[in-house]
Amino acid sequence: TPPINQCVNISLSGTLGWTGLFVTNGCPTTGTCVAQNTNSGGNPGISNLNLIGGVTYYIIISTWPSPQC
């Protein structure tokens, strides 16, 4: 939960194979996906993501094959 509005960049390193990076506004199972990126070679990133202060966000990393998250 950012204290103020801000723009962020998220990058992964060291991931191999299919990897997904997701950001949700609220709980991952009931919230809204606000950004996503997947890459078959690993290390996806999200650039210039505007987050609203006081809102709870979840950053989710999922891989394939299992484990999924």
Side-chain angles (χ1 to χ4, degrees):
T1 306
I4 59 172
N5 293 355
Q6 55 188 276
C7 182
V8 299
N9 297 312
I10 304 169
S11 61
L12 300 180
S13 63
T15 60
L16 303 172
W18 286 97
T19 305
L21 174 61
F22 307 89
V23 179
T24 62
N25 172 341
C27 182
T29 57
T30 60
T32 302
C33 184
V34 296
Q36 66 179 357
N37 189 4
T38 60
N39 192 329
S40 63
N43 300 327
I46 296 172
S47 299
N48 302 315
L49 175 59
N50 291 306
L51 302 178
I52 299 170
V55 174
T56 300
Y57 295 91
Y58 291 84
I59 299 170
I60 303 157
I61 300 169
S62 180
T63 58
W64 183 82
S66 294
Q68 290 297 317
C69 292

